[in-house]
Structure formats: C-alpha cells, structure tokens
Amino acid sequence: MAQNGAVDGTVPPGWPEQVRPPGAPDWERTAVAWLFDLVPSDYRAHEVLRRYPVLLARFAGDHVAAGLEAARRGWRTIRVELADQLPTEAIEAAIAAYEREGTRLAAAARGVEVVGGALRGERWVPRL
C-alpha cells in the first residue's frame, strides 16, 4: 500500500475521488466524511468511530462487505424466489439494480481498503 498520494498526489487504484490524497490538507477529514457516508447514519453517534478513523474504516469495510454479499445473494436468488409473484420485466429490472449495486459496493469496498490502509500509515508505491 502507499503513502497514498503523499506529496505528489499519486493514489492507488480504487482511491475514492471524494477523498483527498494523504499528505494533502484535511485529507483525513475527507476520508472520515467519505467513510461515514458509507455506513448507516446511526454510526455517527458512536464517539469511538469519530475518534479513531482506523476503527471507522473497519466498521465501514464490514458494512460494505455485508451489503455486497446481500446484493450477490439477491442477484442469485430473485428469479427462483419471486418468479411467480412478479412480472418478468420486474425481475429483469431487479437483476439490473442488483448488478449496479454490486458494482458500486465492490468499488466502495476497494476504496475502504485503500483509505483504511492509508489511515493505518501504509504506503503505496506505484509499480512500473
């Protein structure tokens, strides 16, 4: 992992555009705001998560992973479980929604991974 964008602004693949590169002014504040946007709003009530961004990244990673698994399970099972209750076009639209959500959550999971690493002080070095 990297100094995720230290002085030169270089960040690893998957770095969220809403988060400034490490070393930039207020980068940790933008990381915390982004992480809180990924979790239920009730998480903001936990002082420990506001105080320790590394812990917030852990909670966000767990939450995003659970959502990704739910989207994958829904995608796999919706045809069988609701085929007799919904028209075909609704099933197809739901599958497309699961696919979009899965893509979004997979990107968020990668972002949490790299931002969490940066918060832990890990350094990313681009490979040639």
Side-chain angles (χ1 to χ4, degrees), residues 1-4 22 27-28 54 114-124:
M1 176 81 141
Q3 184 175 6
N4 293 330
W27 90 268
E28 284 192 26
V54 170
V114 295
V115 168
L119 289 167
R120 291 188 304 274
E122 295 176 8
R123 299 184 181 273
W124 177 78

Side-chain angles (χ1 to χ4, degrees), residues 55-91:
L55 185 57
L56 173 59
R58 168 64 187 266
F59 272 59
D62 290 345
H63 181 75
V64 169
L68 183 56
E69 179 52 36
R72 288 174 174 162
R73 185 175 52 252
W75 183 86
R76 285 190 311 266
T77 61
I78 192 166
R79 283 187 200 276
V80 173
E81 293 177 0
L82 295 178
D84 60 343
Q85 297 175 20
L86 294 171
T88 303
E89 60 272 10
I91 297 287

Side-chain angles (χ1 to χ4, degrees), residues 11-69:
V11 293
W15 188 266
E17 63 183 48
Q18 302 91 328
V19 178
R20 299 176 118 199
D26 292 329
W27 90 268
E28 284 192 26
R29 183 188 56 74
T30 65
V32 167
W34 180 76
L35 290 166
F36 270 126
D37 285 347
L38 294 175
V39 299
S41 61
D42 292 350
Y43 281 33
R44 293 177 190 273
H46 299 289
E47 174 64 29
V48 71
L49 299 180
R50 290 193 314 273
R51 184 176 225 190
Y52 299 102
V54 170
L55 185 57
L56 173 59
R58 168 64 187 266
F59 272 59
D62 290 345
H63 181 75
V64 169
L68 183 56
E69 179 52 36

